[in-house]
Amino acid sequence: MQFKSGTDVRGIAAEGVVGENVNLTDFAVKRITESFALWLCRKLNSKPENIKISVGHDSRISAQRIKKAVTETLCECGFTVLSCGLSSTPAMFMTTVDLGCDAAIQITASHHPFNRNGLKFFTRTGGLEGSEIAEILSLAEGEETLPVSCGNITEVDYMSDYSANLREMIKKGVNSDDYDLPLKGYKIVVDAGNGAGGFYAEKVLKPLGADINGSQFLEPDGMFPNHIPNPENEKAMDSARQAVLSVGADLGIVFDTDVDRAAVVDSRGGEINRNRLIALAACIALENSSGATVVTDSVTSDGLTYFINKILGGKHHRFKRGYKNVIDEAIALNEKGIDCPLAIETSGHAALRENYFLDDGAYLVTKIIITVARLGRVGKTIDMLLSELPEPAESVEYRIALPHDSFKTVGANVLNSLMDFTQNHEGWSLAPNNYEGVRINVDKAFGDGWLLLRMSVHDPVMPLNIESNIEGGCDKIAAEFKKFLSKFENLKI
């Protein structure tokens, strides 16, 4: 199970980092692909010759090697294979909708370093669950495989179709007098970080009349020479902010490597990511869904809860960290009859019900651009939508290392102890309706904010998030937390 990373397969795919030897070899890729093929046939109760699978990749330097291993293996198993080339992860899922594919494979490791890569699997119902990835990897450890057959591989330019769909979405959404050029007069900067997102400037915005001068790092380069393509990365966001200000753009867009996440920069250079991005997405999602629920991860702020509940008239459902957890919760709520149009994580994974609950950075940005154009007609800007969002004075995250050999047991003990500690600690109280870790509200006299201690989704660490509404408040809250932590000798911040 060395390759399991939540709901993805990931490993070291290229040399270049000291102490990190390649383990995602051609042999490993072949065995994992064979096992996925076997798993898929059983799931669909069908033979390979009746199954069509699409394969795409982001800009990583190991992409071509892994694509060759994946497509050739699928062909040898008898499948019909559509080789889609450089693609976004969400577009690969959409091949199951638009091209009738039974499954899709994206070769990506998201925002991770250049030497990493992996496989992300989709069926027509969406991305695979962690338990399904475990099944596939368990099969890969055995010797079972499909009989050798003869399928076929066809090169397909699906990204052009995907881009055309986004263009039509903007035309209909803006519905301007100049229907075919709804973005004429707008300056929009795209920073793709040399990932797979450069298509959005050239194939979506420019044909609609947008001025894309100032856009940068659109060329795919798997070494990511300019900055990490990641909306959570400070350098990436500042790079886009500077680009917006230098050309006087109306909007800046930042994509991660495989375009399943995004963030934006407003015309004044204000960064709209994390809580601000969630607030903006909620404005859009709740526009025609008064009283509906927005699902987020666990680290969102109290100010965001106020904004969604009081300003937008919705309901904030703060759930667990992990984009798949957030999406699955939103789907479950809808199945129970609870109106929930949006699931979004602080990292930028945003999934709308109207778009198959697919976390698609390009789709979210498209919705934002439609909003920008509509507001522009009445002399307003997107930052005005967020004027009533309370924002903390300070926020900080610490990471507490746990012993590798017993991290789950130690972590559970720490969380239980923190709950007991809080019951008798002046100025601290357990937050209600908490789904992950221990969230504590802190009174004004003791730091005026909150803290959340939780287990990492994948690693032997405990992230500690602290926010305060006053300057110096985070240090005050952290100092009290350290008093609690001092009794655990085997922990280290």
Side-chain angles (χ1 to χ4, degrees):
M1 293 296 172
Q2 63 173 316
F3 298 113
K4 187 177 184 299
S5 178
T7 55
D8 296 348
V9 168
R10 286 182 185 164
I12 302 167
E15 301 288 353
V17 176
V18 176
E20 295 192 3
N21 299 319
V22 172
N23 59 4
L24 197 61
T25 60
D26 287 353
F27 174 78
V29 172
K30 180 179 175 65
R31 276 303 298 141
I32 294 168
T33 303
E34 287 174 335
S35 299
F36 171 69
L38 181 62
W39 176 89
L40 184 64
C41 286
R42 290 174 176 174
K43 181 178 179 65
L44 299 180
N45 191 26
S46 184
K47 296 179 180 179
E49 57 263 33
N50 299 321
I51 296 175
K52 182 164 60 174
I53 303 176
S54 61
V55 179
H57 60 82
D58 66 20
S59 62
R60 295 177 175 278
I61 60 174
S62 55
Q64 294 298 327
R65 173 180 69 82
I66 295 176
K67 181 190 77 169
K68 185 174 186 292
V70 170
T71 55
E72 289 182 355
T73 299
L74 292 174
C75 186
E76 290 167 2
C77 290
F79 294 90
T80 295
V81 182
L82 302 185
S83 181
C84 297
L86 183 69
S87 305
S88 73
T89 292
M92 292 313 299
F93 167 76
M94 290 303 295
T95 62
T96 69
V97 177
D98 294 334
L99 301 184
C101 292
D102 300 284
I105 301 174
Q106 171 74 342
I107 300 164
T108 183
S110 187
H111 61 281
H112 287 263
F114 74 92
N115 66 323
R116 304 285 174 133
N117 215 330
L119 304 173
K120 189 172 185 66
F121 301 103
F122 294 97
T123 65
R124 290 179 178 177
T125 59
L128 270 58
E129 300 289 342
S131 59
E132 293 172 317
I133 296 297
E135 285 180 47
I136 291 167
L137 292 177
S138 181
L139 284 172
E141 291 173 353
E143 297 181 359
E144 192 175 5
T145 185
L146 291 167
V148 175
S149 184
C150 185
N152 61 84
I153 303 172
T154 303
E155 299 290 332
V156 175
D157 177 21
Y158 175 67
M159 286 305 295
S160 291
D161 296 340
Y162 175 79
S163 299
N165 292 339
L166 294 178
R167 291 199 303 271
E168 286 303 311
M169 182 177 161
I170 293 174
K171 289 179 183 180
K172 292 177 181 178
V174 176
N175 195 26
S176 66
D177 293 336
D178 191 347
Y179 187 80
D180 289 326
L181 296 174
L183 300 182
K184 189 175 181 179
Y186 284 92
K187 287 185 178 182
I188 303 177
V189 166
V190 175
D191 184 328
N194 302 112
F199 78 93
Y200 198 83
E202 296 290 348
K203 291 189 174 183
V204 179
L205 299 179
K206 191 174 181 180
L208 297 179
D211 180 351
I212 61 170
N213 288 324
S215 292
Q216 55 191 16
F217 318 138
L218 304 182
E219 307 81 10
D221 185 338
M223 293 301 293
F224 311 125
N226 295 289
H227 61 69
I228 298 170
N230 181 2
E232 287 193 293
N233 180 265
E234 289 185 15
K235 186 176 178 181
M237 290 303 298
D238 187 60
S239 175
R241 188 178 71 83
Q242 294 295 340
V244 166
L245 295 175
S246 66
V247 299
D250 300 289
L251 188 72
I253 299 166
V254 180
F255 288 122
D256 78 336
T257 316
D258 61 329
V259 202
D260 60 1
R261 293 185 297 133
V264 297
V265 176
D266 65 33
S267 59
R268 300 182 304 171
E271 297 178 8
I272 301 179
N273 59 0
R274 300 181 66 81
N275 284 292
R276 287 173 61 79
L277 182 67
I278 296 172
L280 178 57
C283 288
I284 295 169
L286 297 180
E287 183 179 8
N288 298 312
S289 298
S290 178
T293 296
V294 173
V295 179
T296 75
D297 59 346
S298 59
V299 301
T300 49
S301 71
D302 292 339
L304 179 65
T305 300
Y306 170 84
F307 184 76
I308 292 173
N309 294 358
K310 302 298 183 182
I311 303 302
L312 300 182
K315 297 175 183 176
H316 183 196
H317 183 73
R318 187 190 284 123
F319 195 56
K320 298 177 182 178
R321 191 77 161 150
Y323 75 92
K324 197 71 167 65
N325 289 329
V326 173
I327 291 172
D328 287 348
E329 179 71 358
I331 292 171
L333 291 177
N334 279 288
E335 289 174 348
K336 293 176 183 177
I338 298 171
D339 184 12
C340 178
L342 173 66
I344 180 167
E345 195 187 30
T346 308
S347 65
H349 284 282
L352 289 148
R353 180 177 57 201
E354 66 183 55
N355 190 41
Y356 309 95
F357 272 120
L358 173 66
D359 49 322
D360 185 343
Y363 192 92
L364 175 66
V365 163
T366 297
K367 297 286 287 188
I368 291 172
I369 287 172
I370 292 169
T371 300
V372 168
R374 285 176 174 176
L375 290 172
R377 287 206 289 255
V378 293
K380 294 183 179 180
T381 56
I382 53 172
D383 56 292
M384 294 179 182
L385 293 180
L386 307 180
S387 61
E388 295 183 84
L389 172 66
E391 301 196 56
E394 298 178 338
S395 64
V396 66
E397 179 175 289
Y398 299 96
R399 296 176 72 79
I400 301 168
L402 297 174
H404 282 254
D405 56 346
S406 58
F407 72 92
K408 290 185 178 180
T409 301
V410 173
N413 183 38
V414 172
L415 292 175
N416 289 332
S417 297
L418 181 58
M419 291 180 71
D420 293 339
F421 179 84
T422 302
Q423 301 284 0
N424 302 306
H425 195 75
E426 187 178 4
W428 285 22
S429 60
L430 294 173
N433 304 319
N434 187 54
Y435 292 90
E436 182 174 44
V438 177
R439 189 177 179 111
I440 298 166
N441 293 327
V442 180
D443 292 351
K444 289 185 177 181
F446 298 90
D448 193 11
W450 57 269
L451 66 88
L452 171 67
L453 182 69
R454 61 183 177 85
M455 292 290 295
S456 169
V457 176
H458 307 301
D459 304 315
V461 297
M462 300 187 79
L464 170 67
N465 292 86
I466 303 176
E467 282 194 2
S468 174
N469 298 314
I470 58 175
E471 291 189 12
C474 283
D475 284 345
K476 196 169 185 178
I477 295 170
E480 289 300 304
F481 180 80
K482 286 179 181 178
K483 293 178 183 178
F484 157 76
L485 203 64
S486 63
K487 65 179 181 178
F488 296 96
E489 296 180 357
N490 56 345
L491 301 184
K492 182 179 180 182
I493 296 181

